[in-house]
Amino acid sequence: DAGITQSPRHKVTETGTPVTLRCHQTENHRYMYWYRQDPGHGLRLIHYSYGVKDTDKGEVSDGYSVSRSKTEDFLLTLESATSSQTSVYFCAISESLNNEQFFGPGTRLTVL
Amino acid sequence: QQQVKQSPQSLIVQKGGISIINCAYENTAFDYFPWYQQFPGKGPALLIAIRPDVSEKKEGRFTISFNKSAKQFSLHIMDSQPGDSATYFCAASMRLGNFNKFYFGSGTKLNVKP
C-alpha cells in the first residue's frame, strides 16, 4: 500500500463520542486525502492537504475536521460521531499534481 | 449530482471471457481518467489510466477505450481470470486550484467464474 498505514483498522464507537483516525505515510508525498467509501457512492472526498498546516474541504466535510502538523501524518477527527458516519475511511497520498493517488488499507468505523 | 456514472453494478463473467465496465461523465474539464481495482479489505489500487488525447490504452489484459465526443470511457478485461474478481472503480479528475479533484464512480463488482 505504497508506504501508507492507517490506524486503527477497525473501530466501534458510540454516538456523540469523539473519534480520531490517523494516516501515516513514509513516502514524503506532499498531498494527502481523506475519503469515505459507502455502498452505491464510491469514494467521496472529505478533506485534503496540500502541505503541512495547509488543508481544505472536500465534498462531504460536514462533521469532520483534519490536521496536518507533519508531512507524514494526516489526522481525521469526528468531533461528535453520528451513525451516518459509519463507513470505511481511506487515506490517499500523491507526490505532486501528476494525478496518481495511492490509497491506504482503510479504517472501518462503526458508530452505534 | 453524480459526476461519474458507472455501470453495471455487478458483473459475472466466465473464465476466459471479456469483462466490460462502462463509465460516463458530463464535465469536459476532466483531464485524467483512472481505473482502480479493489479487493475485499484492501484500499483501491491504480490499475490503468488514460488522458483524453488518446482513444485507447492497453496494459497487458486491461484496455481503456475512451470516447471524448460521447464523454464515455470503458474498461475491458480480456481473458478474464478468477483472480480478477474484485470491485472496479472508474474516476475522473480535474485541476481545481491547488489540487486535483477526483470524482469516483459507484463501483462494479466483478465475479469471474472458473
Side-chain angles (χ1 to χ4, degrees):
Chain A
D1 291 318
I4 310 169
T5 56
Q6 292 185 231
S7 58
R9 293 294 313 277
H10 302 271
K11 186 170 182 67
V12 179
T13 191
E14 294 189 350
T15 298
T17 59
V19 176
T20 296
L21 308 183
R22 180 184 183 231
C23 177
H24 179 77
Q25 60 143 330
T26 59
E27 306 295 323
N28 201 36
H29 283 2
R30 177 182 176 187
Y31 297 87
M32 299 185 76
Y33 312 80
W34 276 108
Y35 289 90
R36 60 178 290 172
Q37 184 176 49
D38 304 289
H41 289 279
L43 289 143
R44 292 180 292 174
L45 183 67
I46 304 171
H47 281 280
Y48 68 97
S49 169
Y50 48 97
V52 174
K53 291 187 168 53
D54 292 322
T55 66
D56 208 343
K57 297 178 179 179
E59 59 191 299
V60 290
S61 60
D62 287 349
Y64 302 95
S65 63
V66 290
S67 65
R68 192 169 177 200
S69 59
K70 298 184 290 185
T71 298
E72 56 267 35
D73 289 324
F74 193 31
L75 303 180
L76 177 70
T77 297
L78 291 65
E79 299 291 346
S80 178
T82 68
S83 59
S84 64
Q85 294 175 312
T86 292
S87 187
V88 181
Y89 291 86
F90 288 99
C91 173
I93 64 173
S94 63
E95 184 175 13
S96 65
L97 291 177
N98 67 359
N99 293 359
E100 290 200 34
Q101 288 191 359
F102 301 95
F103 286 83
T107 294
R108 182 173 293 276
L109 176 67
T110 302
V111 183
L112 301 175
Chain B
Q1 84 265 21
Q2 201 166 7
Q3 294 270 2
V4 179
K5 295 183 180 179
Q6 184 173 345
S7 63
Q9 277 188 307
S10 62
L11 183 61
I12 300 174
V13 173
Q14 290 295 128
K15 179 182 175 181
I18 303 174
S19 304
I20 301 174
I21 305 170
N22 301 299
C23 284
Y25 65 97
E26 285 298 324
N27 196 328
T28 55
F30 289 134
D31 61 1
Y32 179 70
F33 301 87
W35 284 89
Y36 289 86
Q37 180 187 56
Q38 185 179 27
F39 293 104
K42 301 289 187 182
L46 180 65
L47 188 63
I48 186 173
I50 198 169
R51 294 193 183 272
D53 52 346
V54 297
S55 60
E56 186 175 282
K57 184 174 181 180
K58 185 175 181 178
E59 290 184 1
R61 296 184 293 108
F62 300 92
T63 299
I64 299 179
S65 296
F66 187 82
N67 186 329
K68 190 174 181 178
S69 60
K71 292 186 279 188
Q72 296 175 348
F73 58 110
S74 59
L75 176 69
H76 294 64
I77 306 174
M78 314 300 285
D79 187 27
S80 299
Q81 299 297 313
D84 297 330
S85 297
T87 299
Y88 293 82
F89 293 93
C90 63
S93 77
M94 68 173 94
R95 179 74 63 88
L96 284 178
N98 56 11
F99 87 121
N100 286 317
K101 176 74 185 295
F102 280 72
Y103 294 89
F104 288 83
S106 53
T108 296
K109 189 170 184 180
L110 172 64
N111 183 9
V112 181
K113 291 198 172 295

